Amino acid sequence: MHLNERQTITLRLEKKLKERVKYLADDKRSSSHALMLDAIHQYVEREEKQSAYRKNALAAWQEYQETGEHITAEEALNWLDTWGTPNEKSAPTCHK
């Protein structure tokens, strides 16, 4: 399949949901199809970001379990407080 190739998928919606989608699409001067595509794109992007966040958090936890290296909440907050100021500091160094 080519990158931009499209496939048709059939969705069976409850009558009330279909009516709600149509109402919103009409309100936005769009089609129900375009509204549903946009909703699916937004959902998939949000879920991909959440999945990546969870994976990164688990990897960080695993690394901490193996090395014991960390920064304290106070160190992190002190660093974040400098963001966007003339005295912006570099990230604190991890320690045991």
Side-chain angles (χ1 to χ4, degrees):
M1 181 180 343
H2 295 271
L3 185 61
N4 291 325
E5 190 173 318
R6 295 179 180 210
Q7 293 184 337
T8 299
I9 296 175
T10 302
L11 293 174
R12 294 196 191 329
L13 302 177
E14 295 174 0
K15 184 178 179 183
K16 281 286 191 192
L17 180 57
K18 184 177 178 182
E19 290 169 357
R20 290 168 63 196
V21 169
K22 173 138 180 43
Y23 178 82
L24 284 173
D26 290 346
D27 189 52
K28 291 178 160 273
R29 291 183 164 75
S30 181
S31 67
S32 294
H33 179 261
L35 188 85
M36 288 186 287
L37 275 178
D38 185 46
I40 291 168
H41 278 282
Q42 288 181 34
Y43 174 82
V44 169
E45 285 196 16
R46 184 178 62 244
E47 291 300 312
E48 286 173 338
K49 287 177 185 175
Q50 279 188 333
S51 177
Y53 179 80
R54 271 191 309 275
K55 287 176 184 173
N56 288 338
L58 289 173
W61 176 248
Q62 183 66 36
E63 184 177 347
Y64 169 73
Q65 293 291 313
E66 292 170 3
T67 67
E69 291 191 347
H70 66 284
I71 61 171
T72 66
E74 184 176 355
E75 291 167 331
L77 291 173
N78 288 338
W79 169 54
L80 292 173
D81 284 343
T82 69
W83 282 18
T85 70
N87 301 323
E88 189 169 316
K89 296 180 181 172
S90 298
T93 304
C94 290
H95 52 82
K96 290 190 179 205

